[in-house]
């Protein structure tokens, strides 16, 4: 009797297989085994849908471990993942998954800024108030300022060994030799909405006499096509900038329009986030100057000059518009660091 029943089931299965070939075609028909499984599923569950199964239980990422990682972060958010996983006796991968996927946390880098002295805050507020008053009287005031500064460009560039990796099947034992006192170029530039003034290369350490030489033989010539009577000149409080001879020379050129320590308007010290050369120009140049790895000082100077020539007028105007925005943020921060700029994200 059982043999007869199994024969009937076999005949029924083959009949269904035959009719499926007529419906789907010979090439696209499901296999006989597939049809058997579908029939068996229907007989057991009265449905051909897949049975919902319980998901894989992540024992390592349990609720207990998630709470432990969360408490650990609240106690010390600066701890690294390897150290945190070691303290909690969890694997690195488990700790990483809990931090990113379960707690939706992200790793943020520390932003480095110059330390502000107690007296710097009031000087920053005073300068911000003065600049905003000038902008209320003349909304184009930001186009009437020339800001200046110097920067060092080292011939060997800079290698961050923490970010530099060499992949291979074995340790290549690569060493990069650096001289104790690498060759460098000291560059002076002026910056305004009309473009970059410079570069001027110092052949020795900058002092008052060499700085005044830049003003008289280079900078004054560049100003011939500019309305100097209506322009303001800014410089930081370096000693070579603020000597009596230097201030007297600048007063002759920009009578009553000097922004500097000892000038007509005090420039707040340690305010790199207010100087377009610091927050834009030097970083822009250094990202391009070392692209072809200059080997000599002359190549380095040529790269600096070429990179400055690439700075378009429209870009300078955009930077000075950003400078005006920073003045407003400086007043809002009451002389503190410009957190809205530093922490953009």
């Amino acid at each position: 009797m059982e043999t007869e029943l199994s024969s009937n089931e076999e005949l029924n299965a083959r009949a269904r297989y035959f009719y499926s070939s007529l419906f789907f075609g010979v090439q696209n028909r499901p296999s006989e085994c597939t049809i058997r499984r579908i029939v068996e599923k229907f007989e057991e569950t009265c449905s051909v849908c897949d049975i919902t199964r319980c998901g894989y239980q992540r024992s390592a990422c349990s609720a207990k471990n998630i709470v432990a990682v969360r408490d650990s972060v609240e106690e010390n958010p600066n701890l690294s993942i390897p150290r945190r996983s070691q303290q909690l006796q969890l694997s690195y991968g488990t700790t990483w998954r809990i931090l990113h996927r379960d707690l939706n946390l992200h790793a943020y880098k520390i932003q480095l800024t110059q330390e502000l002295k107690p007296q710097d805050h009031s000087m920053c507020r005073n300068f911000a108030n003065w600049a905003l008053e000038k902008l209320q009287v003349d909304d184009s005031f930001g186009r009437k300022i020339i800001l200046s500064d110097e920067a060092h460009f080292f011939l060997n560039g800079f290698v961050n060994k923490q970010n530099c990796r060499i992949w291979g099947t074995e340790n290549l034992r690569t060493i990069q030799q650096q001289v104790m006192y690498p060759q460098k170029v000291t560059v002076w530039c002026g910056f305004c909405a009309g473009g970059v003034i410079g570069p001027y290369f110092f052949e020795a350490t900058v002092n008052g006499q060499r700085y005044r030489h830049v003003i008289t033989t280079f900078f004054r010539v560049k100003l011939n096509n500019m309305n100097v009577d209506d322009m303001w000149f800014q410089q930081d409080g370096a000693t070579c900038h603020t000597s009596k001879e230097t201030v007297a020379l600048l007063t002759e050129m920009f009578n009553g329009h000097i922004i500097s320590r000892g000038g007509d308007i005090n420039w707040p010290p340690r305010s790199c986030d207010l100087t377009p050369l610091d927050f834009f120009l030097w970083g822009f140049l250094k990202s391009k100057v070392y692209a072809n790895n200059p080997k000599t000082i002359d190549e380095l100077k040529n790269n600096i000059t070429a990179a400055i020539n690439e700075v378009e007028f429209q870009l300078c105007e955009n930077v000075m518009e950003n400078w005006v925005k920073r003045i407003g943020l400086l007043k809002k921060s009451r002389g503190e660091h410009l957190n809205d700029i530093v922490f953009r994200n």
Side-chain angles (χ1 to χ4, degrees), residues 44-308:
E44 292 178 2
T45 64
C46 297
S47 173
V48 294
C49 298
D50 293 333
I51 301 174
T52 303
R53 301 182 182 276
C54 296
Y56 173 71
Q57 182 65 31
R58 298 183 301 166
S59 57
C61 297
S62 62
K64 179 181 177 181
N65 290 340
I66 293 175
V67 172
V69 173
R70 184 187 61 195
D71 294 342
S72 173
V73 173
E74 292 178 354
E75 180 180 354
N76 186 2
N78 298 328
L79 204 62
S80 65
I81 295 181
R83 184 65 60 83
R84 195 181 304 280
S85 62
Q86 183 181 15
Q87 288 186 357
L88 298 176
Q89 296 183 351
L90 298 174
S91 68
Y92 179 94
T94 298
T95 307
W96 185 94
R97 284 191 295 271
I98 292 176
L99 288 170
H100 287 265
R101 299 179 183 178
D102 296 307
L103 299 178
N104 294 321
L105 299 178
H106 304 279
Y108 296 97
K109 292 183 179 179
I110 296 175
Q111 298 290 339
L112 300 179
T113 61
Q114 281 191 304
E115 179 186 6
L116 295 177
K117 305 299 182 180
Q119 66 273 16
D120 294 344
H121 303 294
S122 60
M123 297 182 66
C124 289
R125 291 195 299 268
N126 293 337
F127 178 79
N129 292 332
W130 171 82
L132 290 175
E133 290 177 1
K134 300 293 290 185
L135 288 167
Q136 289 178 356
V137 176
D138 183 5
D139 57 1
S140 64
F141 174 68
R143 299 177 55 85
K144 299 178 180 179
I145 298 179
I146 301 174
L147 301 105
S148 65
D149 201 2
E150 297 93 12
H152 300 303
F153 288 75
F154 291 89
L155 184 61
N156 63 339
F158 178 76
V159 175
N160 185 348
K161 68 177 185 178
Q162 301 300 329
N163 296 332
C164 182
R165 296 291 184 268
I166 301 176
W167 294 89
T169 56
E170 59 183 12
N171 189 350
L172 300 179
R173 301 181 181 273
T174 301
I175 297 176
Q176 177 170 329
Q177 300 185 28
Q178 293 185 347
V179 297
M180 181 66 71
Y181 303 103
Q183 291 180 286
K184 67 180 180 181
V185 171
T186 303
V187 184
W188 178 91
C189 283
F191 190 94
C192 63
V196 180
I197 302 173
Y200 181 90
F201 299 104
F202 287 96
E203 301 301 332
T205 304
V206 183
N207 57 23
Q209 181 180 357
R210 297 188 181 101
Y211 183 69
R212 290 190 293 274
H213 180 75
V214 177
I215 300 299
T216 55
T217 63
F218 179 78
F219 185 41
R220 192 193 295 268
V221 175
K222 296 293 184 179
L223 297 179
N224 288 338
N225 298 326
M226 301 176 65
N227 183 12
V228 180
D229 295 336
D230 201 29
M231 295 292 293
W232 288 79
F233 178 75
Q234 178 273 340
Q235 60 179 7
D236 61 29
T239 304
C240 61
H241 297 167
T242 57
S243 64
K244 293 182 179 179
E245 295 83 357
T246 303
V247 173
L249 176 60
L250 293 173
T251 301
E252 178 187 347
M253 298 173 57
F254 300 92
N255 187 20
H257 286 188
I258 302 175
I259 305 174
S260 172
R261 179 168 63 87
D264 302 289
I265 298 296
N266 278 328
W267 176 255
R270 291 169 286 278
S271 54
C272 295
D273 46 5
L274 285 183
T275 309
L277 295 98
D278 283 324
F279 70 74
F280 164 70
L281 184 63
W282 301 138
F284 174 84
L285 295 181
K286 290 180 180 181
S287 67
K288 294 180 175 295
V289 164
Y290 298 108
N292 61 349
N293 297 321
K295 299 296 188 299
T296 65
I297 290 294
D298 289 337
E299 290 181 5
L300 182 59
K301 290 181 178 179
N302 291 336
N303 286 0
I304 294 172
T305 303
I308 289 178

Side-chain angles (χ1 to χ4, degrees), residues 6-22 29 32 35-36 39:
S6 61
S7 300
N8 291 334
E9 291 178 353
E10 182 72 20
L11 291 174
N12 291 333
R14 291 186 178 277
R16 287 191 293 267
Y17 185 63
F18 172 75
Y19 287 115
S20 66
S21 64
L22 295 178
R29 64 188 178 185
E32 183 177 348
I35 295 176
R36 287 182 181 275
V39 172

